Amino acid sequence: MATKRVTGSQAVILSLLEEGVDTIFGYPGGAIMPIYDALYDFDKQITHILTRHEQGAVHAAEGYAKVTGKAGVCFATSGPGATNLITGIADAQIDSIPLVCITGQVASPLLGTDAFQESDVVGISMPVTKWNYQVTNIEEIPEAIAKAFYIAQSGRPGPVLLDIAKDAQVQELDFEYKKCTKIRSYISEHPVDPFKVKEAADLINEAKKPLLLFGQGVIIANAEDELKTFIEKTGIPAAWTLLGLSALPSDHPLNVGMLGMHGNYGPNIKTNEADLIIAVGMRFDDRVTGKVSAYATNAKIIHLEVDPAEINKIVKVDVGVLGSAKKSLPMLTLNVKENKHEAWLQEFRDCDKIEQEKVIQKDTFPTKEGLTMGEAVRMVSEKVNNNAVLVTDVGQQQMIASRYFKFTQSKSNVTSGGLGTMGYGIPAAMGAQLGAKDRTVCCFVGDGGFQMTLQELGTIVQNKLPVKIILLNNNFLGMVRQWQQLFFDRRYSFTELQNPDFIMITNGFGMPAHKVSKREDLEAGVQKMMEHDGPYLLEVVCEKEDNVFPMVPAGASVSDIILEA
């Protein structure tokens, strides 16, 4: 490959183009200004989205990565610009989202002098990145970027951060780019052991009440078809984690619902009746297991996982199968017998009937006067034919939307799982819309989380992103209030909100908005939002004490799931 003489800043942009980057989210500042100057000449090849805050940029990059499967890219300047990325980077780390974050830094002679807007972002971000590196030598720029993309996107994905000193941005080098395909001592993916697969298959063939749990690892590996083939051959009921949502269509006959604290009754209660648990691309998060010592008490456990650190970390397993689900699932399918577990599956359907009567009917077709979150979610999902990208903020609306929004295709759920970041929804929806331009993006937010990043409405309007925002407003920090109601004798300590006029604020950004507070107006309000050509906010005023059930109380067994207060 021929070389050409360029500045370090130009090398950054050229390197990103070599990696196929088409969208960057960011906010300029002094220490990254040379890179922004270089970007000016590439506006036809790369779309840059100017967010209103660096946290908005990193969450938008997460949303983009979730729907595309590619690394999201964001820029920030040094000091406060870089530190404002940390929450989003931590979010991406725990949820295995590939990001490449590039920050400007003061010139290398000033490092360690407390120069203006200097912060040790490499030290600060070390615990929450898959890899980070500070570039002080211009010659390192192409190689560092190549390595960053390889690490971010390979194996179990995650965020990386490159901190580039200002003098390295303005010096010149002979540019040559080589993609990274291997790093010594870094094993991105282990080969699947056929003997472990055979051990797992033997357990599956012997099981009478097997239950498969699948997480985001299936989506990351693009193994949705392999998962479907496996469960259809074996007849095994399959339940999903919050981040595994959409890997299997909602209406698949073997889909038995969501696991976890606010998951469905059947998969939670039947976990301790199963004689075999097959976990695929999930990490046995505490919100899934509840009290670990009382989890899956009658079951042997098989764990298919790309990251060796996750096997036996929380739950001791009988067979651990390392490797990508894309490779391990087909091998497992070849070794298992065709089967049906009709009586076992019927037990889940019997649980569905109980939950339908005690919870779902009351949530989605209520008879009480006030509007519920569940009926708003159901209405929106029906209007988009269960075929939109769902983006959620964190809190009650997140759990309700995950329960009642339906899916027909994968990479359709964008949410903050492990970190539970309020303020995630609006910026993540921007990134999701840019990554899935031909799809409808529906973003559910609560009145608390909405006020953390509502400034990004300006970004949405400026870039004409047709995001549909549903603000479920109960004038409370709803999830915290629910815990206070159930476990703290209704002592509502600092959770009630005196909210502003959300319609006026939204209109101030140039976005149309509408408020609904009566059931008879809900369907027309949703229809008006969906028919509008462009971004739109629908505020739905919900009951203050509208709770999310079922619920596994913190520290309790999954068998202790409660259906009502």
Side-chain angles (χ1 to χ4, degrees):
M1 179 180 177
T3 63
K4 60 179 177 179
R5 196 75 177 167
V6 299
T7 65
S9 296
Q10 291 170 322
V12 170
I13 307 303
L14 291 170
S15 297
L16 296 178
L17 287 171
E18 290 282 350
E19 291 291 343
V21 173
D22 56 20
T23 306
I24 297 168
F25 305 90
Y27 203 98
I32 200 170
M33 206 174 296
I35 291 176
Y36 269 90
D37 184 66
L39 184 61
Y40 187 86
D41 295 324
F42 293 89
D43 63 325
K44 298 290 191 294
Q45 294 154 278
I46 295 181
T47 297
H48 179 275
I49 302 298
L50 173 63
T51 59
R52 298 304 186 263
H53 191 281
E54 291 87 357
Q55 184 178 351
V58 67
H59 288 327
E62 287 185 273
Y64 177 91
K66 287 274 283 186
V67 299
T68 63
K70 302 192 303 182
V73 179
C74 60
F75 286 174
T77 194
S78 63
T83 58
N84 281 343
L85 296 179
I86 297 299
T87 295
I89 293 172
D91 190 278
Q93 173 79 343
I94 199 166
D95 281 357
S96 304
I97 298 173
L99 295 183
V100 174
C101 305
I102 296 176
T103 55
Q105 185 54 277
V106 301
S108 53
L110 296 176
L111 290 171
T113 68
D114 292 331
F116 177 67
Q117 289 193 333
E118 181 193 2
S119 65
D120 179 12
V121 70
V122 170
I124 292 168
S125 66
M126 190 172 292
V128 294
T129 49
K130 190 176 177 184
W131 178 69
N132 67 11
Y133 187 72
Q134 187 172 73
V135 177
T136 56
N137 180 354
I138 185 174
E139 300 292 337
E140 295 180 309
I141 288 176
E143 182 182 358
I145 291 178
K147 187 182 288 188
F149 275 89
Y150 176 65
I151 292 173
Q153 297 177 133
S154 60
R156 180 179 180 174
V160 301
L161 182 140
L162 291 179
D163 191 42
I164 306 178
K166 194 168 184 179
D167 49 329
Q169 297 175 38
V170 298
Q171 294 164 358
E172 291 188 347
L173 80 160
D174 292 319
F175 179 76
E176 181 180 0
Y177 196 78
K178 294 179 182 177
K179 281 200 174 188
C180 180
T181 58
K182 185 179 181 181
I183 299 173
R184 191 175 66 177
S185 79
Y186 168 59
I187 301 172
S188 63
E189 187 181 313
H190 292 261
V192 181
D193 184 343
F195 295 103
K196 291 292 184 182
V197 170
K198 182 64 167 60
E199 282 184 53
D202 288 344
L203 291 179
I204 292 167
N205 290 333
E206 294 168 3
K208 303 300 181 187
K209 291 186 173 184
L211 174 60
L212 186 141
L213 318 178
F214 64 92
Q216 187 179 218
V218 172
I219 298 172
I220 290 169
N222 295 310
E224 296 91 342
D225 289 342
E226 288 78 7
L227 173 69
K228 190 174 172 210
T229 299
F230 173 79
I231 62 172
E232 288 176 351
K233 181 177 181 180
T234 59
I236 296 176
W240 35 272
T241 69
L242 177 64
L243 294 182
L245 179 56
S246 85
L248 190 68
S250 301
D251 61 359
H252 192 282
L254 291 169
N255 187 336
V256 294
M258 182 168 72
L259 299 158
M261 180 172 280
H262 293 291
N264 293 107
Y265 183 56
N268 276 300
I269 205 78
K270 293 299 174 185
T271 293
N272 282 348
E273 296 178 28
D275 61 4
L276 179 67
I277 297 290
I278 307 156
V280 185
M282 55 86 74
R283 59 187 182 87
F284 291 107
D285 175 76
D286 60 287
R287 289 296 170 106
V288 165
T289 64
K291 186 178 180 181
V292 176
S293 62
Y295 178 76
T297 50
N298 296 313
K300 293 185 175 179
I301 297 177
I302 297 167
H303 195 177
L304 278 63
E305 172 61 46
V306 74
D307 184 356
E310 291 297 341
I311 296 179
N312 291 316
K313 185 178 85 172
I314 307 283
V315 173
K316 298 300 180 185
V317 306
D318 294 273
V319 180
V321 182
L322 272 177
S324 167
K326 187 77 172 178
K327 296 175 182 176
S328 59
L329 275 174
M331 292 171 67
L332 196 56
T333 303
L334 286 173
N335 282 273
V336 294
K337 298 174 183 175
E338 285 193 34
N339 205 343
K340 293 185 185 296
H341 294 279
E342 292 174 340
W344 173 232
L345 181 62
Q346 185 57 46
E347 292 186 33
F348 288 87
R349 298 311 173 204
D350 292 342
C351 289
D352 291 345
K353 293 175 185 175
I354 295 170
E355 186 177 348
Q356 180 70 34
E357 178 185 346
K358 289 185 174 292
V359 181
I360 298 172
Q361 186 70 24
K362 296 175 183 177
D363 278 350
T364 56
F365 292 95
T367 55
K368 54 188 176 183
E369 183 178 345
L371 284 168
T372 66
M373 296 177 285
E375 63 183 314
V377 172
R378 173 189 59 79
M379 184 74 69
V380 174
S381 187
E382 288 175 357
K383 291 295 182 184
V384 294
N385 297 316
N386 304 329
N387 195 31
V389 175
L390 169 67
V391 182
T392 52
D393 206 88
V394 167
Q396 285 184 312
Q397 41 73 35
Q398 177 189 33
M399 295 294 103
I400 286 285
S402 300
R403 285 177 52 77
Y404 299 128
F405 208 85
K406 304 303 179 185
F407 299 92
T408 57
Q409 62 177 299
S410 188
K411 292 186 175 67
S412 296
N413 177 44
V414 178
T415 196
S416 171
L419 198 64
T421 306
M422 290 180 68
Y424 175 92
I426 298 296
M430 303 185 313
Q433 188 70 79
L434 282 154
K437 292 185 175 70
D438 59 339
R439 300 189 65 191
T440 300
V441 173
C442 295
C443 177
F444 285 85
V445 296
D447 44 313
F450 180 59
Q451 292 180 79
M452 291 189 173
T453 51
L454 64 77
Q455 68 270 16
E456 299 304 338
L457 295 179
T459 311
I460 291 172
V461 170
Q462 181 173 346
N463 292 280
K464 300 179 175 62
L465 303 177
V467 176
K468 310 303 181 187
I469 302 167
I470 304 92
L471 169 59
L472 302 181
N473 181 10
N474 56 14
N475 292 285
F476 262 107
L477 300 177
M479 188 60 86
V480 183
R481 185 214 53 76
Q482 177 169 334
W483 281 54
Q484 289 174 335
Q485 176 187 341
L486 298 177
F487 308 118
F488 292 87
D489 298 323
R490 282 190 162 91
R491 289 162 58 87
Y492 295 149
S493 179
F494 300 101
T495 48
E496 188 165 9
L497 296 170
Q498 181 177 322
N499 284 325
D501 185 331
F502 291 122
I503 303 303
M504 184 180 293
I505 288 174
T506 305
N507 288 338
F509 281 103
M511 182 185 298
H514 183 64
K515 184 175 183 177
V516 171
S517 56
K518 295 180 180 178
R519 180 162 295 118
E520 57 264 31
D521 299 327
L522 178 61
E523 184 170 7
V526 172
Q527 188 68 36
K528 183 177 181 181
M529 173 183 68
M530 299 313 304
E531 289 176 352
H532 179 74
D533 183 19
Y536 196 97
L537 182 138
L538 177 67
E539 179 184 355
V540 180
V541 179
C542 301
E543 284 198 335
K544 286 190 173 185
E545 292 195 349
D546 184 11
N547 290 329
V548 186
F549 288 107
M551 182 178 186
V552 179
S557 163
V558 290
S559 298
D560 298 326
I561 188 169
I562 54 178
L563 294 173
E564 52 195 355

